[in-house]
Amino acid sequence: MPSPPISAVGPPRLLPPTTHQVKVDRHTYRRLSMMGGWGKQSWWSDGGYGGDGVTTGGGIEQETTCKSTPFYDLCVSTLESDPDSSRTDVPGLAIIGANKLNAKVYDSFKEIASLLEEAKDESLKKALVECDDHYKTIITYNVLSVIKTVRTSRAYVGRDAMNDAAKEALACASGFENQPTFPIKDSNKVVHDLSVVVSSIITLLVSE
């Protein structure tokens, strides 16, 4: 029987992409794989925020939770894309959001790798490599902090980590200030906004 797609209704589990979809350095891969069993990946499938704010099943929890975030549509579409969201609690919703952020960052790794293969300008390459480093921080520290602390009395650690993840995305964007284009602008915005969404969800726990 396959593992559940996320860890919202069971022991925390960080989910990776399939190995052929992205290359990460050996140290990063080892840190991720040492976190324990890898479940079936639940992928971000919509390039935009999508969603019409209508939830099903246990969606009242989702809708109420998402109203506490500054990016309601993104929150709703993210949670609705995972079937476990209708049968979990607020910490579980935060875990779903963290896993979705994890998947989106992996997608961005793939996008950056493709751009680096084609880039000729050294300053553009430098900006892309810096974004790659910022995203590695999000995966190897920020997302893991949520997974490890959201169901404990130290949930504030996960909240702060998501705030830091949003700052990492902003730092990525700042590297393109002197570039004619920002080729990963859309995906970087989702990384930023989704980090803020997860932080907002965890804030509900910290405030209790």
Side-chain angles (χ1 to χ4, degrees), residues 1-194:
M1 186 174 182
S3 301
I6 56 89
S7 57
V9 293
R13 179 186 294 118
L14 179 68
L15 308 182
T18 54
T19 54
H20 71 278
Q21 287 178 298
V22 67
K23 294 180 180 179
V24 294
D25 63 82
R26 184 177 301 175
H27 177 67
T28 301
Y29 185 83
R30 285 196 62 204
R31 288 190 62 181
L32 293 171
S33 60
M34 288 172 65
M35 289 304 297
W38 304 81
K40 179 182 178 183
Q41 183 65 50
S42 178
W43 288 100
W44 180 279
S45 59
D46 185 355
Y49 289 170
D52 57 6
V54 178
T55 56
T56 59
I60 294 177
E61 182 92 74
Q62 299 173 28
E63 187 171 356
T64 301
T65 300
C66 288
K67 284 180 178 178
S68 71
T69 76
F71 303 107
Y72 176 80
D73 288 342
L74 173 62
C75 178
V76 170
S77 63
T78 297
L79 298 182
E80 285 189 341
S81 69
D82 192 296
D84 283 339
S85 65
S86 64
R87 57 189 179 93
T88 190
D89 52 9
V90 174
L93 295 178
I95 291 172
I96 290 173
N99 276 323
K100 294 296 183 178
L101 173 61
N102 181 61
K104 186 60 185 178
V105 172
Y106 269 116
D107 283 348
S108 297
F109 276 141
K110 181 180 178 181
E111 187 177 3
I112 289 171
S114 177
L115 289 167
L116 282 172
E117 289 181 358
E118 301 173 358
K120 305 298 182 183
D121 183 79
E122 290 302 319
S123 62
L124 174 59
K125 289 182 180 179
K126 181 175 182 293
L128 289 169
V129 169
E130 288 177 352
C131 280
D132 188 84
D133 289 340
H134 290 304
Y135 287 162
K136 284 177 182 175
T137 298
I138 293 175
I139 283 183
T140 60
Y141 172 72
N142 302 127
V143 170
L144 295 184
S145 293
V146 174
I147 302 298
K148 293 167 65 175
T149 67
V150 73
R151 291 194 181 278
T152 73
S153 60
R154 300 177 66 246
Y156 63 88
V157 173
R159 176 202 60 194
D160 294 346
M162 285 294 96
N163 289 337
D164 289 342
K167 292 177 182 177
E168 295 289 349
L170 291 176
C172 167
S174 69
F176 288 88
E177 289 178 351
N178 297 320
Q179 295 293 324
T181 61
F182 184 9
I184 58 172
K185 179 179 179 180
D186 292 342
S187 58
N188 189 69
K189 175 174 171 53
V190 175
V191 169
H192 172 272
D193 293 357
L194 188 51

